[in-house]
């Protein structure tokens, strides 16, 4: 049993904390929103009056916050108050530069740290099947892995501090681009009178095969579990895809990588969100592409 502090108990944080509790850990939690803290308490989290109070006896501190600025402000607040050797795990999806700064703050105070963003969404958080992409020292990773396991389907050590965030945005850039590619192919097939099922049957066993097609097919029918079959309820919301594509663009610009298709994908998802679709599953971009095709 490990005494853990969980800071940021939103859509992801609450079910993640619940799985830690089910695995026998004691979890002290804090969130700025009182109703979220109440919901977390109903799942067994011991509510704290502040982040500093939540970490008082913690051997491990997990953060699950919206963006880099929130993570840095929480780290600046609590890192000086934490016992040396405490393990800090940041599972938020944030920019690589802020993630590296968070590791630096932890190191200045003698703490172990891991960035460990996740894929798998709220469903994966509830089921305890998230994929964690971890960045940090071997010593920190070895300590973090058993803590992450009750929340995880898979835990991958990607490299030094920030490598987990780097892996996450590179993966999601592939995903955003591939979903647009698959969507365009279905729109073209419709114009050519080719059925959705026929395109699926061919492409899913040919060189067009990819996750966006075979797991998350953006038209209803061929993959009954894909969000297209439930009016594009997420799943993975388009607003979160846009967030990740923007993080990828920021990283590309800061590090001199040419990512023209990533840039185009970010622009298309920005337009899609502006049109009021941010809360739809990201595969709904196919409807926007149909409009662009003149339907
Ligand atoms: P959310 O907005 O539901 O939760 C974030 C929580 O952090 C909120 O409850 C907010 O009140 C709290 N918070 C903000 N600043 C705080 C502070 N200073 N102290 C304490 N609490 C604070 O977001 P979410 O969907 O749970 O996502 C969390 C992170 O996980 C994000 O970085 C997101 O990109 C990432 N993520 C989300 C999903 C998903 O499907 N929702 C999937 C993968 C990754």
């Amino acid at each position: 049993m490990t005494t853990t502090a969980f800071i940021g108990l939103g859509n992801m944080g609450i079910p993640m904390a619940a799985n830690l509790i089910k695995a026998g850990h004691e979890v002290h939690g804090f969130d700025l929103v009182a109703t979220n803290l109440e919901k977390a308490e109903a799942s067994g989290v011991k509510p704290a009056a502040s982040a500093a109070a939540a970490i008082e006896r913690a051997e491990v501190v997990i953060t699950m916050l919206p963006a880099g600025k929130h993570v840095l402000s929480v780290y600046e607040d609590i890192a000086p108050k934490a016992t040396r050797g405490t393990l800090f795990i940041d599972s938020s999806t944030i920019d690589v530069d802020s993630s590296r700064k968070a590791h630096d703050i932890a190191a200045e105070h003698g703490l172990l740290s891991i960035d460990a963003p996740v894929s798998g969404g709220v469903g994966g958080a509830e089921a305890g099947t998230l994929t964690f992409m971890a960045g940090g020292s071997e010593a920190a990773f070895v300590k973090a892995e058993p803590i992450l396991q009750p929340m995880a389907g898979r835990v991958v050590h990607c490299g030094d501090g920030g490598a987990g965030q780097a892996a996450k945005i590179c993966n999601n850039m592939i995903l955003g681009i591939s979903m647009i590619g698959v969507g365009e192919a279905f729109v073209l097939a419709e114009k050519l009178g080719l059925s959705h099922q026929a395109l699926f049957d061919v492409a899913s066993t040919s060189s067009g095969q990819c996750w966006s097609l075979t797991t998350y097919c953006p038209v209803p029918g061929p993959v009954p579990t894909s969000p297209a079959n439930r009016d594009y309820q997420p799943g993975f919301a388009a607003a979160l895809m846009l967030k990740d594509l923007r993080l990828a663009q920021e990283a590309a610009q800061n590090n001199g990588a040419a990512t023209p298709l990533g840039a185009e994908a970010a622009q298309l998802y920005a337009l899609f969100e502006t049109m009021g679709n941010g809360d739809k599953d990201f595969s709904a971009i196919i409807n926007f592409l149909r409009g662009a095709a003149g339907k």
Side-chain angles (χ1 to χ4, degrees):
M1 198 271 289
T2 305
T3 304
T4 304
F6 211 113
I7 319 292
L9 293 158
N11 293 323
M12 295 291 288
I14 291 177
M16 289 168 73
N19 280 324
L20 283 175
I21 292 161
K22 275 187 214 144
H25 299 294
E26 183 173 304
V27 179
H28 298 258
F30 175 67
D31 194 287
L32 288 178
V33 175
T35 48
N36 285 359
L37 200 52
E38 280 161 23
K39 278 188 218 154
E41 190 176 6
S43 305
V45 171
K46 295 179 192 306
S50 64
I55 68 151
E56 260 167 23
R57 291 186 298 113
E59 300 152 77
V60 177
V61 176
I62 302 176
T63 42
M64 193 56 172
L65 298 162
K69 63 181 179 187
H70 307 101
V71 173
L72 289 178
S73 114
V74 168
Y75 270 50
E76 274 155 12
D77 172 23
I78 61 177
K81 297 165 184 143
T83 308
R84 287 180 83 81
T86 303
L87 171 64
F88 273 45
I89 301 174
D90 178 39
S91 281
S92 328
T93 301
I94 66 172
D95 60 286
V96 176
D97 289 347
S98 295
S99 179
R100 289 183 178 145
K101 275 185 205 146
H103 279 281
D104 290 345
I105 294 169
E108 275 165 32
H109 296 283
L111 310 169
L112 291 170
S113 59
I114 285 278
D115 55 291
V118 299
S119 75
V122 175
E126 286 167 354
T129 56
L130 294 169
T131 295
F132 284 84
M133 295 151 259
S137 68
E138 188 62 30
F141 180 73
V142 165
K143 202 170 165 188
E145 200 180 10
I147 303 292
L148 298 177
Q149 277 306 340
M151 303 180 281
R154 193 154 174 245
V155 183
V156 183
H157 190 194
C158 300
D160 291 338
Q165 299 293 351
K168 162 106 191 181
I169 57 171
C170 289
N171 178 72
N172 281 14
M173 189 174 78
I174 297 173
L175 180 61
I177 293 169
S178 69
M179 183 55 82
I180 291 166
V182 170
E184 284 188 359
F186 275 107
V187 171
L188 176 60
E190 288 164 4
K191 295 285 178 192
L192 295 173
L194 179 66
S195 75
H196 291 161
Q197 192 63 48
L199 173 58
F200 181 85
D201 288 345
V202 171
S204 63
T205 53
S206 304
S207 45
Q209 190 275 334
C210 65
W211 190 91
S212 292
L213 178 71
T214 56
T215 302
Y216 238 58
C217 188
V219 294
V223 179
T225 50
S226 78
N229 297 280
R230 47 174 201 269
D231 201 23
Y232 301 97
Q233 293 306 305
F236 185 46
L240 287 172
M241 172 52 82
L242 176 59
K243 173 188 172 179
D244 293 355
L245 288 169
R246 283 182 168 150
L247 289 174
Q249 285 309 290
E250 193 181 327
Q253 274 158 22
N254 290 346
N255 294 279
T259 54
L261 291 182
E264 190 63 35
Q267 289 292 326
L268 287 169
Y269 274 101
L271 284 171
F272 189 56
E273 190 195 46
T274 305
M275 292 166 71
N277 297 306
D279 60 351
K280 294 213 173 81
D281 187 78
F282 80 108
S283 59
I285 193 91
I286 190 171
N287 293 326
F288 175 76
L289 297 169
R290 279 200 190 94
K295 194 176 174 193

